Amino acid sequence: MGKLQSKFSIHTTKYRADGSMGEVGPAQSPPQHCPMHSDAVTSVAALKLDLCVSGARDKSVAVCSWRSGAVLRRFTGHQREVTKVTSAPDSNRVFSASRDKTAMMWELQGTSGPNQRFVAHDLVVTGLAVSPDASQLCTGSRDNTMCKWDTETGQCLRRVITFRNLVTHLCWVPREPYVIQTSEDKTVRLWDMRQLEVAHTFPTKQHIQTCCDVSPDGRLCLSTSSGTAGEGCEATLWDLRQTRSHVCEYKGHFQTTTSGVFLPWGPALTPSIATASCDGTVKVWDRDTAACLATLYLDGAGPLSSLAACDSSTLLCATSNSGIHVLQLRDRVEPALEEVAAF
């Protein structure tokens, strides 16, 4: 099984919003499906219906049902660890990036091999974003470059080098020709994809910016920070409208915050975001007040690498040691985050 545990730990610790400890498992064991990958899962993204796509250190890309844990497709072709996966809404194409310096496109109804390869970077590809219509791809790398691609032809339309811009993550702004990018140089950039040029650089943070996400309405951006012993480790909300300013911060993790996502709005929930950290916890926050609504510690999961929001109350969390966990946000007197399955 490589480094991935063949049997998942089922102990979880729930914390109240004030940080005090609640129940400790294993009071009820969530369903443990067969692991989707044989090594650490590095990235997960939600697809249409009840599907998700994931990438891992085992070099594979997999599509499965997050409700049943059934693997529907497995794609192979990368020579080294997969670093990122993504897809456009309502598209039958998924995309992956890898330490082998390439990005690839896969057809859900196609063969197990890549439908398109994108080769232009000199180092690991660490950023991946696809346009809403899936016609263009944006990639970024630790080689300080950003590339714009035609997904049909595989042609690199433009390549830009920015000094010290070690890309960590990319996210396409819905319905706009813009991409948000985070970097090891502690900045968040807004790129205009029409000419692949920087349209705005947000104020520099104190720590490496590890991940980014954009709200469904395209008005807000979230970035997450590295850190240790509670210093740094925050998520930051930015306004993408005219002010393009820092709105608020979400502080409570004790190690690097590796991922942050906006939860789709639901009728019973306040606008919320979720974050995951190397400290093994997932937190849900009130987007507007920065109050922590719920915390879940995944015992034995190791550093958490990636989050994906399936709907207003369901999250997928990729982990280093125990695959992908399905988490449910329960709407009670006090909101509670619970693990309901793992695969």
Side-chain angles (χ1 to χ4, degrees):
M1 296 298 294
K3 295 182 180 178
L4 185 66
Q5 297 172 352
S6 60
K7 293 184 179 179
F8 296 139
S9 167
I10 57 174
H11 287 72
T12 58
T13 305
K14 302 172 188 175
Y15 293 85
R16 302 182 180 92
D18 62 7
S20 60
M21 186 180 295
E23 310 172 39
V24 177
Q28 294 181 341
S29 300
Q32 308 292 317
H33 305 295
C34 292
M36 184 184 298
H37 294 282
S38 61
D39 208 332
V41 183
T42 54
S43 183
V44 63
L47 303 179
K48 57 187 178 181
L49 302 175
D50 298 335
L51 305 181
C52 68
V53 59
S54 59
R57 287 182 187 168
D58 64 8
K59 308 174 189 176
S60 73
V61 175
V63 175
C64 87
S65 164
W66 55 262
R67 291 193 185 276
S68 68
V71 178
L72 306 180
R73 295 301 310 270
R74 187 175 299 279
F75 301 112
T76 56
H78 283 298
Q79 300 304 307
R80 298 187 65 186
E81 168 186 335
V82 175
T83 55
K84 297 289 168 65
V85 292
T86 192
S87 179
D90 302 318
S91 171
N92 288 320
R93 294 172 171 176
V94 296
F95 299 83
S96 60
S98 172
R99 286 190 177 276
D100 65 11
K101 308 175 188 178
T102 71
M104 295 187 183
M105 181 176 75
W106 320 82
E107 296 281 355
L108 292 183
Q109 280 79 41
T111 66
S112 61
N115 185 258
Q116 195 67 264
R117 287 181 171 87
F118 308 95
V119 183
H121 293 290
D122 298 322
L123 292 173
V124 51
V125 183
T126 47
L128 189 69
V130 62
S131 62
D133 63 0
S135 66
Q136 293 185 351
L137 183 70
C138 181
T139 58
S141 169
R142 287 182 57 84
D143 64 5
N144 302 321
T145 64
M146 293 275 288
C147 291
K148 174 184 174 181
W149 306 85
D150 183 311
T151 60
E152 292 294 336
T153 65
Q155 179 185 1
C156 183
L157 303 176
R158 188 164 173 80
R159 185 173 184 264
V160 175
I161 301 175
T162 306
F163 179 62
R164 296 184 63 186
N165 184 26
L166 282 73
V167 176
T168 58
H169 200 77
L170 299 174
C171 185
W172 205 290
V173 179
R175 299 175 296 279
E176 298 288 348
Y178 296 105
V179 164
I180 299 292
Q181 179 240 318
T182 49
S183 174
E184 288 191 21
D185 69 3
K186 308 175 185 178
T187 63
V188 180
R189 294 177 174 87
L190 177 68
W191 289 80
D192 187 330
M193 291 304 298
R194 288 167 290 194
Q195 298 297 323
L196 193 60
E197 58 188 10
V198 177
H200 182 72
T201 301
F202 293 92
T204 303
K205 298 285 291 180
Q206 295 298 310
H207 296 81
I208 290 171
Q209 297 299 283
T210 58
C211 185
C212 55
D213 192 33
V214 180
S215 60
D217 62 6
R219 298 169 62 185
L220 299 169
C221 167
L222 184 70
S223 69
T224 57
S225 292
S226 67
T228 184
E231 181 180 347
C233 315
E234 80 279 358
T236 305
L237 188 69
W238 307 91
D239 192 335
L240 292 180
R241 293 166 293 183
Q242 291 183 353
T243 58
R244 292 181 177 173
S245 60
H246 158 218
V247 178
C248 65
E249 292 181 336
Y250 310 90
K251 297 183 177 181
H253 287 296
F254 291 95
Q255 294 184 41
T256 292
T257 300
T258 53
S259 186
V261 295
F262 289 89
L263 293 181
W265 296 336
L269 295 172
T270 182
S272 305
I273 66 164
T275 55
S277 169
C278 287
D279 63 16
T281 64
V282 178
K283 292 179 178 288
V284 176
W285 313 79
D286 184 305
R287 188 197 69 188
D288 299 328
T289 68
C292 183
L293 303 176
T295 300
L296 181 67
Y297 174 65
L298 297 174
D299 186 27
L304 310 183
S305 55
S306 178
L307 282 177
C310 301
D311 53 43
S312 61
S313 60
T314 306
L315 288 165
L316 303 178
C317 181
T319 73
S320 298
N321 296 339
S322 56
I324 299 172
H325 296 252
V326 184
L327 311 180
Q328 196 80 36
L329 183 62
R330 308 293 189 187
D331 185 26
R332 300 172 176 169
V333 177
E334 286 190 358
L337 192 60
E338 300 176 351
E339 180 185 2
V340 296
F343 53 88

